[in-house]
Amino acid sequence: MQLDFTARELTIKLVYYGPALSGKTTNLQALHEASVPEATGRLMTLETRDDRTLFFDLLPLTFSSAKGLSVRLKVFTVPGQVIHSSTRRLVLQGADGVAFIADSREGETEHNAESYRDLRENLKQNGLTTKQLPLVLQFNKRDMPNVRTEAELADMAAQGREPVYLATATKGLGVVETFVGLLHLTWQTLDVKHGFIEKFGFDTSAFFADVLGKLNHPASLTDVLNIRVGGYGARREVMP
Amino acid sequence: MKSTPSPRSLDELTLDTRFSIQELISRESFEDLLGSLRQLFGVSLRVFAKGGALFAESGPGSPLQTYLGSLPGGRRAVRETVETVKSAEPEAKGAIRLSCATGERYAVIALQYDGRSLGRTVIGPYLDLQDGACPEGLSKCDPLLVPDRLNEAWSAIPKCSESSIARLVEHLKCVLDLILFSGHRALLASNMHLASVQESYRELSEKSATLQNAYERLKELDRLKSNFLATVSHELRTPLTSIIGYSEMLVAGIAGDLNEEQRDFIATIHEKGEQLLELIKGLLDLTKLESGTLNLHKLDIPVLPILKDIVHTLTPTARNKGVILSATGDAGIPTLWGDAARLRQVFLNLTENAIKFTPSAGHVTLSAQITHVALASDEDEGPAIVLRGVKRPMIEVRVADSGIGIPEGERARVFDAFYQVDSSSTREQGGTGLGLSIVKRLVDAHDGTVHIEENSPRGAVFVVRIPCKRLSFMG
C-alpha cells in the first residue's frame, strides 16, 4: 500500500495466486472486460510463447470516494508453474491482499494444496503469514465435469475463516464477487491498521458504490458479499 | 536520494509508476515517428517532458517564429504566446487550442500514462483553412522588419483544417498510449528478468552456504573419527602387548610345564594376539596417513630386491594355498624415490591380497619395469609444464593374479577404508578392508598412482607407479 497525502491518492496491491492453469489470468481478463473504460487501463500480460504467464499480469483499476480520495488498485497474477517460485515471491512482496484461485476439479485438489503451501512458504520468506494477510478463496471452473460439490465446499468453508467464492471465470461468473470480497476484506484490514476512515473522512459505502458501478455490477455491496460461502467469522459487519 | 543507481523494485515500477518519458521512449525513434506524422499532416510536433524541457521534435521550428525571433520587436510580439504554450496544462481528455498574436494556431495535448502526467505534446503552428493574410499589426512590430520576408514566412505556415487537427490529436493519443504501454511493459519485463535472476541467485547462495556448513561439519566429524581411531588403537595395543608377552612366557614354560593341549591353546592365543596387533598397527598407520603425520624417509632405492624379499616372505603362505608366486624384472631398471619400508608394505599388502583371492593352482606374479607417464595438466608444481618435459619416468610394479577379479564398477572404491567388494557377513574371504586403503595412501604419499586392470584370462592386476626421481623443475 502507498499513500500520497498531497495527491490524496491511495495505491493498493492485490495478488491473484494459485496453481498453474487455475484461471488467474482469466479472472483478470473478465474483470477488465467488466469494468468501464475510465476505470481501467490496458491489461498488461508478460507471457511466454505458449500463452502461459511468465512473470505476471497486471490490471490497473482506479476508483474514487465521495471525498475526492482516489484509490488506485494494481491487480497482479503470479505465474502458477512450480519452477517460477522466485518470481511468485517477488510479485507477492508488498501485497495488501491475496485471492487464491483454486481449480474445483477433484483431480486438482492436490495441486491446490501444493500451491497453498507454496503461498504460505513465500509469505513466510517475505515475513508474513496467511493469518495476517487478507485472503479470499475462489473455487473456479464450476462448469467443468467432476468438480467438488458445492455442499462439500460449503461444509469445509464453514470450518475455515476465509471467505470462499465459487466462479466460472471464462463466463465472468463470480469474478466481480471474488474481487469485491477481496477488496472489502483488504480495505477493512488496512483501515484497522491505518485508520483511513477516520483520518480522511473516507466514505466506504460511496467508494464501494463507485467500485460496483464501474464494474457494471448492479447488486448492492451486502448482496455481493453475501454470495460468499464460509468465512463469516473473518470479518466485521458490513458497514452502512 | 540514493547515490548509486540500482534496479527499481517491482513496486516502484507498478504501484508508483512515476516515470520520466525518457525511461519509456527512445528519443531518436520517437523523432522519426514525429517526422512521419509531420509528413502526413503537414504540421510540426514537439514533445516536452514534465518540467518543460524539450524531449523530441518533428523537425526545425516555424520560419515565422524564427524570423520574428531575430528581431527585438518580434520577440516581444510572440513572447506572450510562447509563455502560454509552455505553461498550458491540458486535461487528460481533449486538447487546448491556442491562437498566437501572430495569427498562428497551436494545439496542446497532455502526455499521460496510468493517470500520471509525463509531459505535453504541442502541435503547430498551423493556420486554419479560413485564416487569411498576416495580421497587419505584425508588420509594424519592429522598424527593421522586411515585409517581403514576413509574407514569405507567413505563407510557409502549413494550413490545416480543425477537423484534421482533431484527427491528429486522437491518432497521436492512441499511438502515444500504445508506445508508453509497450515501453512500460518492456521496462517491467527487463526489471523482472533481473530481479528473478537476483532472487534465484540469493536462493542458490543460501542453499550453497547450507551445504558448505554441512560439509565443514562432516569434515570435522571425519577428523574426530580419525582421532578416535588413533586413540583407541593406541589404547588397545598396550594390554595386547601383555597378552602376547605372557602367552609367550607360558609357551616357553617359565610358569611351569604345560601339556600338549594347553600348549596348543596358548599358541592359538599368541597367534590371534599377533593378528590383532597387525590389525591395530594398520589402523594406526591409516590414521597417521590420514592426518599427514606419517614421516617417510625417502631415498633412491632399487625395487627388485624388495619384490624378491616379498616373494621369499610369502612363499610359505602361497604354497599352503597351492598358489605359484614369482617375481620378474629387468636387472638394469633404475631406482625409485621412496621409503623402502613403506613401499615394502605396499607390495606386501598387494601380494597378500592377491594370494588371498587366488584359488589353488593359480598364479601371482610380481613384475617391475620402467615407464614414462604423461603429466596431468593439474599436476602443476612450479613453472610451466613445457619447461619440465611432458613425460615423467616412473617405476611400474604390477601385481597380477589369476583370482576372482574385481568388477569394473568396484575398482575405484576398493581403495576406500573398510570397503569390501563382498560385504556380506557370509563372505568367503576375511580381512578388515584396511590393506588397500593403506596402499593407496602410501602410494599417494610417494606422489605415485595405483589402479586396477583386468588380467587375462581371469584375475586382476594392481598397477603401482612410483616416480624415479623427485618431481621438480630441476629434474
Side-chain angles (χ1 to χ4, degrees), chain A residues 32 40-47 56-60 74, chain B residues 13-14 17 19-21 23-25 30 111-114 118 172-189:
Chain A
H32 188 238
T40 180
R42 281 192 170 83
L43 170 64
M44 183 183 287
T45 56
L46 298 177
E47 62 199 14
F56 54 77
D57 306 303
L58 169 59
L59 178 68
K74 304 289 172 181
Chain B
L13 292 169
T14 51
T17 55
F19 302 110
S20 64
I21 189 169
E23 276 180 287
L24 299 183
I25 299 181
F30 193 55
L111 194 57
Q112 281 207 322
Y113 182 68
D114 196 25
L118 288 178
L172 193 59
K173 271 177 175 292
C174 188
V175 169
L176 281 173
D177 192 50
L178 182 70
I179 290 175
L180 292 170
F181 176 77
S182 308
H184 184 210
R185 193 172 178 274
L187 189 67
L188 267 181

Short mmCIF file of all heavy atoms in Angstrom, two decimals, chain A residues 32 40-47 56-60 74, chain B residues 13-14 17 19-21 23-25 30 111-114 118 172-189:
data_model
loop_
_atom_site.label_atom_id
_atom_site.label_comp_id
_atom_site.label_asym_id
_atom_site.label_seq_id
_atom_site.Cartn_x
_atom_site.Cartn_y
_atom_site.Cartn_z
N HIS A 32 -11.37 -7.05 -16.34
CA HIS A 32 -11.06 -5.99 -17.30
C HIS A 32 -12.25 -5.76 -18.21
O HIS A 32 -12.64 -4.62 -18.51
CB HIS A 32 -9.83 -6.39 -18.09
CG HIS A 32 -9.32 -5.30 -18.98
ND1 HIS A 32 -9.19 -5.46 -20.34
CD2 HIS A 32 -8.90 -4.04 -18.70
CE1 HIS A 32 -8.73 -4.33 -20.86
NE2 HIS A 32 -8.52 -3.47 -19.90
N THR A 40 -10.22 1.74 -15.93
CA THR A 40 -9.11 0.80 -16.12
C THR A 40 -8.21 1.17 -17.29
O THR A 40 -8.64 1.80 -18.25
CB THR A 40 -9.65 -0.63 -16.31
OG1 THR A 40 -8.55 -1.51 -16.48
CG2 THR A 40 -10.58 -0.74 -17.50
N GLY A 41 -6.98 0.76 -17.17
CA GLY A 41 -6.05 0.90 -18.29
C GLY A 41 -5.95 -0.42 -19.02
O GLY A 41 -6.83 -1.27 -18.88
N ARG A 42 -4.90 -0.55 -19.80
CA ARG A 42 -4.72 -1.82 -20.51
C ARG A 42 -4.37 -2.93 -19.53
O ARG A 42 -3.68 -2.68 -18.55
CB ARG A 42 -3.59 -1.69 -21.53
CG ARG A 42 -3.97 -1.01 -22.80
CD ARG A 42 -2.86 -1.20 -23.81
NE ARG A 42 -3.28 -0.75 -25.11
CZ ARG A 42 -3.23 0.51 -25.52
NH1 ARG A 42 -2.76 1.43 -24.71
NH2 ARG A 42 -3.63 0.84 -26.73
N LEU A 43 -4.81 -4.15 -19.83
CA LEU A 43 -4.38 -5.31 -19.06
C LEU A 43 -3.02 -5.72 -19.60
O LEU A 43 -2.88 -6.04 -20.79
CB LEU A 43 -5.39 -6.45 -19.23
CG LEU A 43 -4.98 -7.81 -18.67
CD1 LEU A 43 -4.82 -7.76 -17.16
CD2 LEU A 43 -6.00 -8.88 -19.03
N MET A 44 -2.02 -5.65 -18.74
CA MET A 44 -0.67 -5.98 -19.21
C MET A 44 -0.36 -7.43 -18.91
O MET A 44 -0.55 -7.89 -17.78
CB MET A 44 0.34 -5.09 -18.48
CG MET A 44 1.76 -5.29 -18.96
SD MET A 44 2.92 -4.30 -18.02
CE MET A 44 2.57 -2.69 -18.66
N THR A 45 0.06 -8.16 -19.92
CA THR A 45 0.45 -9.55 -19.67
C THR A 45 1.89 -9.74 -20.09
O THR A 45 2.31 -9.26 -21.14
CB THR A 45 -0.43 -10.54 -20.45
OG1 THR A 45 -0.35 -10.19 -21.83
CG2 THR A 45 -1.88 -10.47 -20.03
N LEU A 46 2.65 -10.39 -19.24
CA LEU A 46 4.04 -10.74 -19.59
C LEU A 46 4.05 -12.25 -19.72
O LEU A 46 4.16 -12.97 -18.73
CB LEU A 46 4.99 -10.28 -18.49
CG LEU A 46 5.03 -8.77 -18.22
CD1 LEU A 46 5.97 -8.46 -17.08
CD2 LEU A 46 5.48 -8.02 -19.45
N GLU A 47 3.90 -12.73 -20.94
CA GLU A 47 3.70 -14.16 -21.10
C GLU A 47 4.70 -14.78 -22.05
O GLU A 47 5.39 -14.11 -22.80
CB GLU A 47 2.29 -14.47 -21.58
CG GLU A 47 2.00 -13.87 -22.94
CD GLU A 47 0.51 -13.76 -23.20
OE1 GLU A 47 -0.26 -13.90 -22.26
OE2 GLU A 47 0.15 -13.56 -24.35
N PHE A 56 4.00 -11.97 -14.66
CA PHE A 56 2.71 -11.66 -14.04
C PHE A 56 1.80 -11.00 -15.07
O PHE A 56 2.23 -10.63 -16.16
CB PHE A 56 2.87 -10.72 -12.84
CG PHE A 56 3.63 -9.45 -13.13
CD1 PHE A 56 3.04 -8.40 -13.79
CD2 PHE A 56 4.95 -9.33 -12.72
CE1 PHE A 56 3.74 -7.24 -14.05
CE2 PHE A 56 5.66 -8.17 -12.98
CZ PHE A 56 5.06 -7.12 -13.65
N ASP A 57 0.53 -10.86 -14.70
CA ASP A 57 -0.39 -9.98 -15.43
C ASP A 57 -0.66 -8.83 -14.49
O ASP A 57 -0.59 -8.98 -13.27
CB ASP A 57 -1.71 -10.68 -15.74
CG ASP A 57 -1.49 -12.00 -16.44
OD1 ASP A 57 -0.86 -11.99 -17.50
OD2 ASP A 57 -1.95 -13.03 -15.91
N LEU A 58 -0.95 -7.69 -15.07
CA LEU A 58 -1.20 -6.52 -14.22
C LEU A 58 -2.39 -5.75 -14.77
O LEU A 58 -2.41 -5.35 -15.93
CB LEU A 58 0.05 -5.62 -14.22
CG LEU A 58 -0.09 -4.23 -13.60
CD1 LEU A 58 -0.53 -4.32 -12.15
CD2 LEU A 58 1.23 -3.49 -13.70
N LEU A 59 -3.40 -5.60 -13.91
CA LEU A 59 -4.57 -4.83 -14.29
C LEU A 59 -4.68 -3.60 -13.38
O LEU A 59 -4.82 -3.74 -12.17
CB LEU A 59 -5.84 -5.70 -14.15
CG LEU A 59 -7.15 -4.99 -14.46
CD1 LEU A 59 -7.25 -4.65 -15.94
CD2 LEU A 59 -8.34 -5.86 -14.06
N PRO A 60 -4.56 -2.39 -13.98
CA PRO A 60 -4.73 -1.20 -13.14
C PRO A 60 -6.20 -0.78 -13.12
O PRO A 60 -6.87 -0.78 -14.15
CB PRO A 60 -3.88 -0.16 -13.88
CG PRO A 60 -3.83 -0.61 -15.31
CD PRO A 60 -4.18 -2.07 -15.36
N LYS A 74 -3.83 -2.08 -8.09
CA LYS A 74 -2.98 -2.81 -9.03
C LYS A 74 -3.23 -4.28 -8.76
O LYS A 74 -2.87 -4.80 -7.69
CB LYS A 74 -1.51 -2.48 -8.80
CG LYS A 74 -1.20 -0.99 -8.88
CD LYS A 74 -1.30 -0.48 -10.30
CE LYS A 74 -1.18 1.03 -10.32
NZ LYS A 74 -1.30 1.58 -11.66
N LEU B 13 7.92 0.19 -9.93
CA LEU B 13 7.58 0.17 -11.35
C LEU B 13 6.10 -0.06 -11.62
O LEU B 13 5.63 0.12 -12.73
CB LEU B 13 8.39 -0.91 -12.08
CG LEU B 13 9.89 -0.65 -12.16
CD1 LEU B 13 10.61 -1.89 -12.64
CD2 LEU B 13 10.17 0.50 -13.10
N THR B 14 5.36 -0.53 -10.61
CA THR B 14 3.96 -0.84 -10.86
C THR B 14 3.02 -0.01 -9.99
O THR B 14 1.98 0.43 -10.45
CB THR B 14 3.67 -2.33 -10.61
OG1 THR B 14 4.17 -2.69 -9.33
CG2 THR B 14 4.31 -3.19 -11.66
N THR B 17 4.56 4.11 -10.52
CA THR B 17 4.53 4.49 -11.94
C THR B 17 4.83 5.97 -12.15
O THR B 17 4.18 6.64 -12.93
CB THR B 17 3.19 4.12 -12.62
OG1 THR B 17 2.11 4.71 -11.89
CG2 THR B 17 3.01 2.65 -12.72
N PHE B 19 7.18 7.67 -13.86
CA PHE B 19 8.26 7.53 -14.83
C PHE B 19 8.59 8.87 -15.43
O PHE B 19 7.78 9.79 -15.44
CB PHE B 19 7.87 6.61 -15.98
CG PHE B 19 7.46 5.25 -15.55
CD1 PHE B 19 6.15 4.85 -15.65
CD2 PHE B 19 8.39 4.38 -15.04
CE1 PHE B 19 5.76 3.61 -15.24
CE2 PHE B 19 8.02 3.12 -14.63
CZ PHE B 19 6.70 2.73 -14.73
N SER B 20 9.78 8.96 -16.00
CA SER B 20 10.06 10.08 -16.88
C SER B 20 9.88 9.53 -18.29
O SER B 20 10.02 8.33 -18.52
CB SER B 20 11.49 10.57 -16.68
OG SER B 20 12.39 9.56 -17.05
N ILE B 21 9.57 10.42 -19.20
CA ILE B 21 9.32 9.97 -20.57
C ILE B 21 10.55 9.31 -21.18
O ILE B 21 10.46 8.36 -21.95
CB ILE B 21 8.81 11.18 -21.41
CG1 ILE B 21 8.34 10.68 -22.78
CG2 ILE B 21 9.86 12.25 -21.55
CD1 ILE B 21 7.59 11.75 -23.54
N GLU B 23 12.53 7.31 -19.80
CA GLU B 23 12.65 5.91 -19.41
C GLU B 23 11.85 4.99 -20.32
O GLU B 23 12.18 3.83 -20.49
CB GLU B 23 12.13 5.72 -17.98
CG GLU B 23 13.14 6.02 -16.90
CD GLU B 23 12.52 5.79 -15.54
OE1 GLU B 23 11.69 6.62 -15.12
OE2 GLU B 23 12.86 4.80 -14.90
N LEU B 24 10.75 5.53 -20.85
CA LEU B 24 9.83 4.67 -21.59
C LEU B 24 9.99 4.76 -23.10
O LEU B 24 9.60 3.85 -23.82
CB LEU B 24 8.37 5.01 -21.22
CG LEU B 24 7.98 4.83 -19.77
CD1 LEU B 24 6.52 5.13 -19.57
CD2 LEU B 24 8.27 3.40 -19.32
N ILE B 25 10.55 5.87 -23.58
CA ILE B 25 10.59 6.08 -25.03
C ILE B 25 12.02 6.39 -25.49
O ILE B 25 12.73 7.16 -24.84
CB ILE B 25 9.66 7.25 -25.44
CG1 ILE B 25 8.22 6.94 -25.07
CG2 ILE B 25 9.76 7.53 -26.94
CD1 ILE B 25 7.23 8.02 -25.46
N PHE B 30 11.49 8.08 -31.62
CA PHE B 30 10.29 8.87 -31.44
C PHE B 30 10.29 10.07 -32.39
O PHE B 30 9.26 10.43 -32.96
CB PHE B 30 10.19 9.32 -29.98
CG PHE B 30 8.86 9.88 -29.61
CD1 PHE B 30 7.70 9.16 -29.81
CD2 PHE B 30 8.76 11.15 -29.06
CE1 PHE B 30 6.47 9.68 -29.47
CE2 PHE B 30 7.53 11.67 -28.72
CZ PHE B 30 6.38 10.93 -28.93
N LEU B 111 0.36 14.50 -22.14
CA LEU B 111 1.01 13.20 -22.33
C LEU B 111 0.86 12.48 -21.00
O LEU B 111 1.48 12.85 -20.01
CB LEU B 111 2.48 13.45 -22.66
CG LEU B 111 3.27 12.30 -23.22
CD1 LEU B 111 2.64 11.77 -24.48
CD2 LEU B 111 4.68 12.76 -23.50
N GLN B 112 -0.02 11.48 -20.98
CA GLN B 112 -0.31 10.83 -19.71
C GLN B 112 -0.13 9.34 -19.80
O GLN B 112 -0.34 8.73 -20.86
CB GLN B 112 -1.77 11.10 -19.32
CG GLN B 112 -1.95 12.48 -18.73
CD GLN B 112 -3.13 12.51 -17.81
OE1 GLN B 112 -4.13 11.87 -18.10
NE2 GLN B 112 -3.04 13.26 -16.73
N TYR B 113 0.27 8.75 -18.66
CA TYR B 113 0.29 7.30 -18.60
C TYR B 113 -0.15 6.88 -17.21
O TYR B 113 0.38 7.38 -16.21
CB TYR B 113 1.68 6.75 -18.91
CG TYR B 113 1.69 5.24 -18.90
CD1 TYR B 113 1.00 4.54 -19.89
CD2 TYR B 113 2.31 4.53 -17.90
CE1 TYR B 113 0.95 3.17 -19.88
CE2 TYR B 113 2.27 3.15 -17.87
CZ TYR B 113 1.58 2.47 -18.87
OH TYR B 113 1.53 1.10 -18.86
N ASP B 114 -1.11 5.99 -17.14
CA ASP B 114 -1.64 5.47 -15.88
C ASP B 114 -2.04 6.61 -14.95
O ASP B 114 -1.73 6.61 -13.76
CB ASP B 114 -0.59 4.57 -15.22
CG ASP B 114 -1.21 3.70 -14.12
OD1 ASP B 114 -2.43 3.46 -14.19
OD2 ASP B 114 -0.48 3.30 -13.20
N LEU B 118 3.25 12.89 -17.98
CA LEU B 118 4.64 12.68 -18.37
C LEU B 118 5.16 13.88 -19.15
O LEU B 118 6.34 13.97 -19.45
CB LEU B 118 4.76 11.44 -19.26
CG LEU B 118 4.59 10.09 -18.60
CD1 LEU B 118 4.69 8.99 -19.65
CD2 LEU B 118 5.64 9.89 -17.53
N LEU B 172 -2.67 10.65 -32.34
CA LEU B 172 -1.45 10.77 -31.56
C LEU B 172 -1.64 10.21 -30.14
O LEU B 172 -0.77 9.51 -29.62
CB LEU B 172 -1.05 12.25 -31.49
CG LEU B 172 0.36 12.52 -30.97
CD1 LEU B 172 1.41 11.84 -31.84
CD2 LEU B 172 0.63 14.02 -30.94
N LYS B 173 -2.79 10.51 -29.57
CA LYS B 173 -3.08 10.00 -28.22
C LYS B 173 -3.02 8.47 -28.21
O LYS B 173 -2.44 7.84 -27.33
CB LYS B 173 -4.48 10.43 -27.78
CG LYS B 173 -4.53 11.76 -27.07
CD LYS B 173 -5.99 12.09 -26.76
CE LYS B 173 -6.10 13.34 -25.94
NZ LYS B 173 -5.57 13.16 -24.59
N CYS B 174 -3.63 7.89 -29.23
CA CYS B 174 -3.71 6.44 -29.33
C CYS B 174 -2.30 5.85 -29.48
O CYS B 174 -1.91 4.90 -28.80
CB CYS B 174 -4.60 6.10 -30.53
SG CYS B 174 -4.98 4.39 -30.66
N VAL B 175 -1.51 6.46 -30.39
CA VAL B 175 -0.16 5.96 -30.65
C VAL B 175 0.72 6.12 -29.41
O VAL B 175 1.44 5.20 -29.02
CB VAL B 175 0.46 6.72 -31.86
CG1 VAL B 175 1.94 6.41 -31.98
CG2 VAL B 175 -0.26 6.34 -33.14
N LEU B 176 0.61 7.30 -28.78
CA LEU B 176 1.43 7.56 -27.59
C LEU B 176 1.09 6.59 -26.47
O LEU B 176 1.96 6.06 -25.79
CB LEU B 176 1.22 8.99 -27.10
CG LEU B 176 1.99 10.05 -27.88
CD1 LEU B 176 1.59 11.44 -27.42
CD2 LEU B 176 3.49 9.87 -27.71
N ASP B 177 -0.20 6.34 -26.31
CA ASP B 177 -0.63 5.42 -25.26
C ASP B 177 -0.02 4.04 -25.48
O ASP B 177 0.49 3.41 -24.55
CB ASP B 177 -2.16 5.34 -25.26
CG ASP B 177 -2.66 4.64 -24.01
OD1 ASP B 177 -2.21 5.05 -22.92
OD2 ASP B 177 -3.46 3.70 -24.12
N LEU B 178 -0.06 3.60 -26.73
CA LEU B 178 0.49 2.28 -27.05
C LEU B 178 2.00 2.24 -26.82
O LEU B 178 2.54 1.29 -26.26
CB LEU B 178 0.17 1.93 -28.50
CG LEU B 178 0.67 0.55 -28.92
CD1 LEU B 178 -0.14 -0.53 -28.23
CD2 LEU B 178 0.61 0.39 -30.43
N ILE B 179 2.67 3.33 -27.26
CA ILE B 179 4.13 3.38 -27.11
C ILE B 179 4.51 3.37 -25.62
O ILE B 179 5.40 2.64 -25.20
CB ILE B 179 4.70 4.63 -27.80
CG1 ILE B 179 4.58 4.48 -29.31
CG2 ILE B 179 6.15 4.85 -27.41
CD1 ILE B 179 5.01 5.71 -30.06
N LEU B 180 3.80 4.17 -24.84
CA LEU B 180 4.12 4.24 -23.41
C LEU B 180 3.82 2.91 -22.73
O LEU B 180 4.59 2.44 -21.89
CB LEU B 180 3.33 5.37 -22.75
CG LEU B 180 3.74 6.77 -23.18
CD1 LEU B 180 2.77 7.81 -22.66
CD2 LEU B 180 5.15 7.10 -22.71
N PHE B 181 2.70 2.29 -23.13
CA PHE B 181 2.35 0.98 -22.57
C PHE B 181 3.44 -0.04 -22.90
O PHE B 181 3.91 -0.78 -22.03
CB PHE B 181 0.99 0.53 -23.12
CG PHE B 181 0.57 -0.83 -22.67
CD1 PHE B 181 0.08 -1.03 -21.39
CD2 PHE B 181 0.67 -1.92 -23.53
CE1 PHE B 181 -0.32 -2.30 -20.97
CE2 PHE B 181 0.28 -3.18 -23.12
CZ PHE B 181 -0.21 -3.36 -21.83
N SER B 182 3.86 -0.06 -24.18
CA SER B 182 4.90 -1.02 -24.59
C SER B 182 6.20 -0.73 -23.85
O SER B 182 6.91 -1.66 -23.44
CB SER B 182 5.15 -0.94 -26.09
OG SER B 182 3.94 -1.06 -26.77
N GLY B 183 6.51 0.56 -23.70
CA GLY B 183 7.73 0.94 -23.00
C GLY B 183 7.69 0.48 -21.55
O GLY B 183 8.65 -0.10 -21.04
N HIS B 184 6.54 0.66 -20.92
CA HIS B 184 6.38 0.24 -19.53
C HIS B 184 6.50 -1.27 -19.41
O HIS B 184 7.17 -1.80 -18.53
CB HIS B 184 5.00 0.70 -19.03
CG HIS B 184 4.75 0.41 -17.59
ND1 HIS B 184 3.51 0.17 -17.09
CD2 HIS B 184 5.60 0.32 -16.55
CE1 HIS B 184 3.60 -0.07 -15.79
NE2 HIS B 184 4.86 0.02 -15.44
N ARG B 185 5.87 -1.95 -20.36
CA ARG B 185 5.88 -3.41 -20.36
C ARG B 185 7.32 -3.93 -20.51
O ARG B 185 7.74 -4.83 -19.79
CB ARG B 185 5.02 -3.90 -21.52
CG ARG B 185 4.68 -5.35 -21.49
CD ARG B 185 3.67 -5.63 -22.61
NE ARG B 185 3.33 -7.02 -22.66
CZ ARG B 185 4.03 -7.92 -23.33
NH1 ARG B 185 5.10 -7.54 -24.00
NH2 ARG B 185 3.65 -9.18 -23.32
N ALA B 186 8.06 -3.32 -21.44
CA ALA B 186 9.45 -3.74 -21.67
C ALA B 186 10.31 -3.44 -20.44
O ALA B 186 11.13 -4.27 -20.03
CB ALA B 186 10.01 -3.02 -22.89
N LEU B 187 10.07 -2.27 -19.83
CA LEU B 187 10.82 -1.90 -18.64
C LEU B 187 10.55 -2.89 -17.51
O LEU B 187 11.47 -3.35 -16.83
CB LEU B 187 10.40 -0.49 -18.21
CG LEU B 187 11.21 0.19 -17.12
CD1 LEU B 187 12.61 0.48 -17.62
CD2 LEU B 187 10.55 1.48 -16.69
N LEU B 188 9.28 -3.25 -17.37
CA LEU B 188 8.90 -4.21 -16.33
C LEU B 188 9.51 -5.58 -16.60
O LEU B 188 10.06 -6.21 -15.69
CB LEU B 188 7.38 -4.38 -16.32
CG LEU B 188 6.60 -3.50 -15.36
CD1 LEU B 188 5.13 -3.82 -15.48
CD2 LEU B 188 7.06 -3.75 -13.94
N ALA B 189 9.42 -6.02 -17.85
CA ALA B 189 9.94 -7.34 -18.19
C ALA B 189 11.43 -7.41 -17.92
O ALA B 189 11.92 -8.37 -17.32
CB ALA B 189 9.64 -7.67 -19.65
#
